[in-house]
Amino acid sequence: MAINLEIPKKHRALIDQAHQVAMNMLRPISRKYDIAEHEYPKELDILAAMIDGLEESGSSEGAGAAGVRRDGIADDATVKNGANMASVTSIAEMCWGDVGLMLSFPRQGLGNSAIASVANDEQLARFKGKWASMAITEPAFGSDSAAVSTTAVLDGDEYVINGEKIFVTSGERSDCVVVWATLDKSLGRAAIKSFVVEKGTPGLKVERLEEKLGIRASDTAVITFTDCRVPKENLMGSPEVNVEQGFAGAMATFDNTRPLVAAMAIGCAQASLDLTRDLLKEAGVVVDYDKPANLQSAAAARFLQLEADWEGARLLTLQAAWMADNRKPNSLEASMAKAKAGRVGTDVTLSCVELCSSIGYSEAELLEKWSRDSKILDIFEGTQQIQQLIVARRVLGLSSAELK
């Protein structure tokens, strides 16, 4: 089964629509909500209604948050370009408009991707239409998801959750939170499970919102759980602790969300490249694609290098999404895409600021904003260093205990 590197024809209409939205609705309000941090972008309600309408009509595969599900059997005779491919390609276009605003879309949170990936059919139906954020990181750890110390203790028909989560994207605006907690700290990572906790549940409190370098349109919250009781039916995946399996079930969420974050970096970087190409042309620097880089100006040669790196990241991301659509294990490819795109995103956006000199550094254009927004895409959902560690383990065939 081989991947075709062309954009699937059936997704081109969705991609074109996303680009039009990014250009005509997100770009014009991008600076406004970068300055007005924590103010909810009311303009997004119209777009959210449009997306809901497309999903309900069934006319747009991938209009909503997609997930990686392994409960189907791949048909080797059929190559699919499904919801995952639609999601990464359309998300890249939306982030060409604005990353923070894209992250602020109602019912399109990272928690929604987690639910789509690991929830059972009953849970999928019950949480349909909910806006879900995802709470993993705690004050005592960042990238080491196995260090979760938030606890979930079964008491009758409910789990009692206690702990604190930080850097929760859409933590204030969401309807519910996908919380990672441990059933028994002594059993290690195998006891880590994810729970859906709905807003309004006693014991759940949004403590504060963070002020940030970039994606300022997106609210990022600190949330505490104090004797927070949730129905046991809100645990996603198996309630059993399987030491041999580890917490592969919970970690499967990242097989979906990492390509999505990679797509965000690709979209933001593409915006920088497109604008920089135009600004260089205005300054008399024309990028000639028919001439070797070493025969062009230093600025043009650097630009060509940035575009080549960007293309590599884009293709890795499409590969990870394509594998998910075709029910192929993509943990390695998801981390490769996230590592490459995260690094390329920051390199491209900062280099474009440099290439455009004072115009790039000023607020006359959005280049400086894109360089700020892109940095988080190399950090959340697993830092650059963590992705490289995961890739090394997979390639070398070593466990987390063998390669730390």
Side-chain angles (χ1 to χ4, degrees):
M1 191 186 292
I3 179 174
N4 186 329
L5 298 180
E6 297 294 326
I7 295 298
K9 289 182 180 179
K10 70 174 182 176
H11 295 331
R12 288 176 187 170
L14 174 64
I15 294 168
D16 289 343
Q17 288 174 347
H19 186 79
Q20 291 300 317
V21 168
M23 180 170 59
N24 298 315
M25 301 188 76
L26 300 189
R27 282 277 180 97
I29 62 174
S30 182
R31 183 67 72 183
K32 171 185 175 182
Y33 287 105
D34 181 57
I35 295 171
E37 186 170 14
H38 301 154
E39 182 179 332
Y40 176 67
K42 294 183 175 59
E43 293 89 340
L44 297 183
D45 288 338
I46 299 173
L47 293 175
M50 289 169 53
I51 292 174
D52 290 343
L54 288 171
E55 283 194 297
E56 289 175 9
S57 67
S59 61
S60 180
E61 181 178 25
V68 177
R69 302 190 70 80
R70 304 297 182 199
D71 48 5
I73 299 174
D75 180 358
D76 289 337
T78 304
V79 177
K80 295 181 179 179
N81 289 301
N84 290 280
M85 182 67 77
S87 291
V88 297
T89 49
S90 58
I91 280 174
E93 291 298 334
M94 296 295 279
C95 289
W96 183 88
D98 189 273
V99 177
L101 291 171
M102 196 286 302
L103 286 168
S104 301
F105 265 69
R107 295 174 294 285
Q108 302 298 313
L110 293 172
N112 291 102
S113 292
I115 292 172
S117 296
V118 297
N120 59 37
D121 291 342
E122 184 275 329
Q123 291 168 333
L124 286 173
R126 183 151 47 96
F127 299 124
K128 182 179 175 59
K130 298 283 187 180
W131 185 356
S133 51
M134 190 153 69
I136 301 175
T137 306
E138 299 177 4
F141 79 90
S143 294
D144 185 8
S145 300
V148 167
S149 62
T150 296
T151 58
V153 179
L154 186 61
D155 182 20
D157 291 333
E158 297 175 315
Y159 282 99
V160 182
I161 299 177
N162 282 281
E164 180 180 1
K165 297 292 184 178
I166 61 175
F167 300 126
V168 182
T169 301
S170 300
E172 181 181 52
R173 301 168 184 166
S174 61
D175 301 315
C176 56
V177 185
V178 176
V179 183
W180 284 33
T182 178
L183 301 181
D184 187 340
K185 188 70 175 173
S186 66
L187 296 178
R189 61 183 62 203
I192 296 173
K193 304 291 180 179
S194 55
F195 302 80
V196 180
V197 184
E198 300 202 52
K199 290 291 185 63
T201 303
L204 184 158
K205 182 181 180 183
V206 177
E207 297 287 348
R208 69 175 187 275
L209 298 179
E210 302 287 2
E211 296 180 349
K212 310 183 296 297
L213 172 72
I215 58 166
R216 293 163 62 87
S218 172
D219 68 308
T220 305
V222 173
I223 301 179
T224 56
F225 301 87
T226 307
D227 294 331
C228 184
R229 305 182 74 91
V230 300
K232 65 180 183 181
E233 292 79 17
N234 284 24
L235 181 151
M236 293 198 293
S238 171
E240 302 301 321
V241 177
N242 186 335
V243 177
E244 292 182 1
Q245 183 187 23
F247 69 145
M251 288 296 289
T253 299
F254 289 123
D255 296 346
N256 172 238
T257 57
R258 282 170 178 161
L260 296 182
V261 175
M264 295 176 200
I266 288 164
C268 187
Q270 183 180 8
S272 294
L273 289 169
D274 289 347
L275 179 54
T276 298
R277 188 188 300 105
D278 292 341
L279 292 174
L280 288 176
K281 186 176 181 180
E282 290 177 13
V285 179
V286 178
V287 180
D288 189 340
Y289 292 94
D290 296 322
K291 185 185 295 185
N294 62 339
L295 296 181
Q296 300 189 55
S297 67
R302 176 61 176 149
F303 186 87
L304 286 169
Q305 180 187 15
L306 293 173
E307 276 198 325
D309 283 345
W310 174 85
E311 182 68 13
R314 186 183 76 89
L315 293 177
L316 280 170
T317 303
L318 294 181
Q319 180 189 27
W322 179 88
M323 292 179 72
D325 281 335
N326 287 275
R327 299 292 191 267
K328 292 179 174 293
N330 73 334
S331 295
L332 171 62
E333 290 76 14
S335 285
M336 289 172 66
K338 171 66 168 64
K340 177 71 173 176
R343 184 174 63 244
V344 165
T346 56
D347 188 29
V348 165
T349 53
L350 279 172
S351 294
C352 286
V353 167
E354 184 178 349
L355 284 171
C356 295
S357 189
S358 57
I359 295 177
Y361 198 72
S362 75
E363 291 188 358
E365 298 288 355
L366 289 168
L367 285 169
E368 59 81 28
K369 179 185 181 299
W370 294 332
S371 71
R372 290 187 285 111
D373 288 345
S374 67
K375 188 56 203 174
I376 191 59
L377 304 176
D378 196 28
I379 297 174
F380 68 9
E381 298 299 296
T383 64
Q384 173 71 214
Q385 293 77 14
I386 287 297
Q387 303 307 327
Q388 291 184 14
L389 183 59
I390 293 171
V391 170
R393 287 170 182 164
R394 295 280 182 175
V395 171
L396 298 174
L398 298 175
S399 67
S400 56
E402 293 169 322
L403 184 59
K404 297 182 180 179

